[in-house]
Amino acid sequence: HGKSRGFLLLGVLPLGLATQSRAMDDLYDNVGVKKEGALLANVYKVKDHFYFILGTITTCDVTADVVKLNKK
């Protein structure tokens, strides 16, 4: 499971962005494999926005089945 979080002050000024690439990097870090040695299957991405008076919290969550590839 990979996560990325961000915050938009007043819904406009980004103080951090929730991106799919950061969520994918977190996914690979959590699994403990390098990007070159893994294959992703059943990838599922969810982007959410939570609105508050002073800003917006954005999230990007990625889940996938990771298959580790072995070189011969």
Side-chain angles (χ1 to χ4, degrees):
H1 188 85
K3 296 181 181 182
S4 178
R5 303 282 185 259
F7 183 76
L8 296 169
L9 183 63
L10 301 175
V12 179
L13 301 170
L15 299 178
L17 297 175
T19 63
Q20 181 177 350
S21 62
R22 288 173 58 194
M24 294 293 286
D25 290 341
D26 187 48
L27 173 71
Y28 282 112
D29 289 342
N30 288 338
V31 173
V33 296
K34 295 181 181 180
K35 293 179 185 180
E36 297 83 21
L39 175 71
L40 298 179
N42 299 326
V43 178
Y44 185 69
K45 177 183 86 166
V46 176
K47 286 194 91 166
D48 284 321
H49 302 278
F50 301 99
Y51 299 97
F52 299 98
I53 293 172
L54 293 177
T56 304
I57 296 174
T58 58
T59 63
C60 181
D61 296 327
V62 176
T63 59
D65 296 327
V66 180
V67 178
K68 187 175 180 182
L69 302 174
N70 294 325
K71 294 183 180 179
K72 289 186 177 185

